[in-house]
Amino acid sequence: MPFSLHYEPEADEEQRGRLVASGEIDVAVADEFAETGVAAVQQIRIDSLVIDLSGVTFMDSTGLSALVKIRNAAVDLSKQISLCNVPSQVLQILTITGLDTVLPIVNGPESTTAGRPEPA
Amino acid sequence: MTGHPALDEPRDPPAAHPVSHTAPDVAQTRERLRRIEAVTDVALSKLTMEELLEELLARLRELLETDTATVLLVDESGQFLTPVAAQGLEEEVRQGVRIPMGSGFAGLIAATAAPAKIADVSMSNVVNPILIRKHVSSMLGVPLLDRHAVIGVLHVGTLHRREFSDDDTTVLQLAADRVASAISTRRAYVDAAAAASLQRSLAPRQLPALPGYQFAARYVPSSEHGVSGDWYDVFALPDRSIGVVIGDVMGHGLRAATIMGRIKSALRAYALEHDDPATVLRHLDRKLQHFEPGQTSTLIYAMLDPENGTIRFSSAGHLPLAVVGAGQVTWRVQRVGLPLGVDLTVPRITEGLTLESAQLICLFTDGLVEQRTGGIDAGLAVAEDALAGASEGANPAEAACAALMTALVGDRQVEDDVTILALARGE
């Protein structure tokens, strides 16, 4: 399945933006993914960004790197970021790399438990 | 100089003009474009980049009947355009002219990523004095695009006044697309060759001979991207312990290989100063985040005491290491630390294990176990079976590498780098 990225620019009443990615996130598209995500968290009316990965069929280390860039941009701006609908393949690599500890994962698309990771 | 600056000329050429210019016949244009294309394909492997561009520009100048043709490329800083090849304006290249992005004719084309033309060149619409001195009167330029990024500008000029037509712009843009593609291919080729060469220079020339232990390693670069950032290292420390590292820099090509080299030498330097692997990784992480912001990398750094087989190690987001003995495989790394380049506030820990006689440890990168379908857990399960069934013969480290390669690579072309490092303790 080809990669596609859809940003819903209208924040809801809680100033949450939503980025929906699907397909294969690899070296070919990781930069686009990172740039779109960083641009989204930089939007002034966005307090938190939810990245919906429900349609992602594959993610490699460059995709993880893109998630880190988006996460770090959010932390720099004191904004919140979370992942939702994370497929098992992606969950596996998030767990193996320990990134699940700094990228909060929420299940339902409507969940509001998104939060910044606590510095340990 | 006469006339007014007019970067955004009306699209339609004037009906009557002192120096009329008829658009080239379409069939003829196509034929000539084919000649440009042929050069990019055939000559690519034989000519240097400069020779290739000179050849392309000579053909383009003939095709569009212009007096000058110039290729400028955006430099490393992204702030300036530098002429790299020119016909009719060779001085530009020889004098190392630098045009700021956004200024002058070429600078505006690069900044807007759109074609532009000037009928009457003057000091008010160009920044390069060579154009004035050479009496260039009219110019047409287009951006060189690699996917959507502007990598440079291609422009042509005439000494007589000329209103370039929309057809001219179309032809020039088609030629520019071929030039951009030739440059990108060439750069990719040069980068890949340099990255492969750098990668070779980074790999240990030979794995150390350590009485009572055996090392074995495999490295297969990505078939798609050339070097993809995998590396390993084995070195002796002053207290006679042995440092063992496997890492994967995210990214590929020359940039990944360069970062890999920096991480490798920095890790060795910190390893000399600190005997706790987690401390070494913390310093390394800080250095990486300061000097290469945005770059991430996973690695495991392990220190072996050959006297008693104890291994202390710390993992930065890397795959677990396998301890293998008597057909049993145990995955180690209870608490994985974050990859380098993520967050300095999260602490790192050092774990320990003892490598007993007739056991081995095996470290590898995700290229071995990651597959488009099935996920990494499935790949790890295959690796576990392969390691459990590996022969224990005379050289168990070699046997472990061979078993993993057979089970997980077989005859497929690897999409990502595959690296394995095995260390066996003798009976």
Side-chain angles (χ1 to χ4, degrees):
Chain A
M1 188 164 114
F3 172 69
S4 81
L5 198 56
H6 174 66
Y7 179 61
E8 292 168 10
E10 286 309 311
D12 60 20
E13 66 282 359
E14 291 168 55
Q15 271 72 53
R16 254 182 334 191
R18 188 176 183 79
L19 184 65
V20 183
S22 58
E24 300 190 339
I25 303 183
D26 59 13
V27 62
V29 301
D31 283 350
E32 180 191 348
F33 181 43
E35 282 161 21
T36 308
V38 169
V41 297
Q42 285 171 344
Q43 292 198 11
I44 204 147
R45 63 178 184 280
I46 297 292
D47 282 346
S48 71
L49 179 71
V50 180
I51 302 177
D52 184 337
L53 300 174
S54 54
V56 172
T57 54
F58 175 78
M59 183 185 285
D60 71 0
S61 62
T62 58
L64 289 182
S65 192
L67 283 177
V68 169
K69 281 182 189 152
I70 300 169
R71 181 263 181 192
N72 287 354
V75 169
D76 286 348
L77 294 167
S78 300
K79 294 185 179 185
Q80 302 186 350
I81 182 170
S82 59
L83 309 179
C84 78
N85 299 321
V86 181
S88 70
Q89 188 265 347
V90 178
L91 190 59
Q92 287 168 22
I93 56 170
L94 286 170
T95 311
I96 281 172
T97 54
L99 288 171
D100 58 337
T101 61
V102 294
L103 284 164
I105 296 168
V106 296
N107 285 321
E110 301 307 320
S111 174
T112 57
T113 56
R116 270 183 81 198
E118 293 296 320
Chain B
M1 288 295 132
T2 58
H4 301 284
L7 279 175
D8 296 308
E9 294 253 316
R11 287 253 155 193
D12 298 323
H17 196 271
V19 187
S20 73
H21 176 76
T22 50
D25 171 66
V26 174
Q28 192 187 359
T29 302
R30 286 190 189 286
E31 176 52 34
R32 284 173 168 175
L33 279 172
R34 264 196 289 278
R35 291 179 55 198
I36 288 180
E37 199 165 11
V39 164
T40 62
D41 296 339
V42 176
L44 201 60
S45 56
K46 294 178 189 154
L47 300 178
T48 65
M49 170 97 104
E50 290 70 24
E51 288 167 340
L52 170 68
L53 292 176
E54 297 291 347
E55 183 63 36
L56 284 166
L57 290 181
R59 286 169 191 240
L60 184 61
R61 191 160 68 151
E62 182 191 325
L63 172 69
L64 283 174
E65 296 167 17
T66 63
D67 300 303
T68 73
T70 307
V71 172
L72 303 96
L73 294 180
V74 178
D75 71 3
E76 294 272 315
S77 72
Q79 304 297 308
F80 292 94
L81 286 160
T82 311
V84 292
Q87 293 273 315
L89 287 172
E90 288 80 356
E91 286 167 74
E92 273 198 320
V93 179
R94 292 184 194 135
Q95 294 181 10
V97 171
R98 298 209 312 163
I99 314 281
M101 293 286 276
S103 306
F105 182 65
L108 272 176
I109 293 169
T112 58
K117 45 192 170 179
I118 306 179
D120 300 289
V121 168
S122 74
M123 285 307 280
S124 63
N125 52 26
V126 300
V127 292
N128 182 356
I130 296 172
L131 296 171
I132 308 288
R133 205 161 60 240
K134 287 287 204 173
H135 305 294
V136 172
S137 171
S138 303
M139 296 177 74
L140 170 66
V142 294
L144 296 174
L145 300 169
D146 181 11
R147 274 164 272 178
H148 299 295
V150 175
I151 60 166
V153 169
L154 170 61
H155 67 62
V156 292
T158 54
L159 301 181
H160 60 269
R161 190 176 190 283
R162 167 166 163 188
E163 297 278 356
F164 284 102
S165 68
D166 284 356
D167 277 351
D168 294 331
T169 309
T170 305
V171 169
L172 191 63
Q173 188 65 63
L174 284 170
D177 294 345
R178 282 158 177 73
V179 169
S181 138
I183 290 170
S184 302
T185 309
R186 188 76 195 194
R187 278 183 173 169
Y189 174 78
V190 170
D191 275 14
S197 165
L198 188 52
Q199 159 71 31
R200 276 196 301 277
S201 77
L202 290 172
R205 288 220 175 78
Q206 57 184 49
L207 294 168
L210 186 64
Y213 293 86
Q214 287 163 327
F215 286 96
R218 293 286 188 283
Y219 170 71
V220 181
S222 156
S223 59
E224 279 185 30
H225 308 296
V227 171
S228 291
D230 277 16
W231 62 286
Y232 63 93
D233 196 12
V234 180
F235 50 86
L237 288 162
D239 67 357
R240 299 205 292 173
S241 62
I242 301 290
V244 176
V245 194
I246 191 161
D248 183 358
V249 173
M250 290 173 198
H252 63 94
L254 187 53
R255 179 167 164 76
T258 307
I259 306 261
M260 195 192 309
R262 290 176 189 157
I263 291 179
K264 175 180 163 168
S265 61
L267 189 146
R268 283 183 166 204
Y270 292 126
L272 278 181
E273 300 298 323
H274 305 281
D275 63 3
D276 171 44
T279 307
V280 169
L281 295 196
R282 200 172 66 244
H283 285 288
L284 189 59
D285 196 4
R286 183 157 168 260
K287 189 229 176 215
L288 184 73
Q289 294 203 28
H290 182 74
F291 291 108
E292 324 280 351
Q295 180 67 50
T296 48
S297 174
T298 67
L299 65 80
I300 291 182
Y301 170 46
M303 283 173 71
L304 164 73
D305 180 347
E307 292 292 315
N308 54 20
T310 57
I311 293 177
R312 289 179 305 129
F313 64 98
S314 187
S315 170
H318 203 81
L319 288 168
L321 61 81
V323 181
V324 187
Q328 297 289 314
V329 179
T330 316
W331 296 106
R332 290 300 300 258
V333 178
Q334 261 85 44
R335 270 197 58 193
V336 65
L338 289 174
L340 304 181
V342 179
D343 194 327
L344 291 172
T345 64
V346 179
R348 298 188 176 280
I349 61 148
T350 294
E351 295 182 54
L353 63 88
T354 301
L355 190 63
E356 306 290 353
S357 296
Q359 281 191 332
L360 66 86
I361 59 165
C362 193
L363 305 101
F364 44 83
T365 57
D366 60 4
L368 181 70
V369 289
E370 188 169 74
Q371 287 149 11
R372 292 262 159 184
T373 53
I376 216 153
D377 285 357
L380 286 173
V382 175
E384 186 172 324
D385 286 347
L387 286 169
S391 74
E392 293 181 12
N395 195 334
E398 271 297 331
C401 289
L404 287 174
M405 292 303 283
T406 305
L408 284 148
V409 178
D411 59 359
R412 80 181 157 104
Q413 297 241 300
V414 295
E415 198 177 324
D416 192 4
D417 286 9
V418 172
T419 305
I420 307 172
L421 183 59
L423 163 62
R425 187 174 182 190
E427 300 282 347

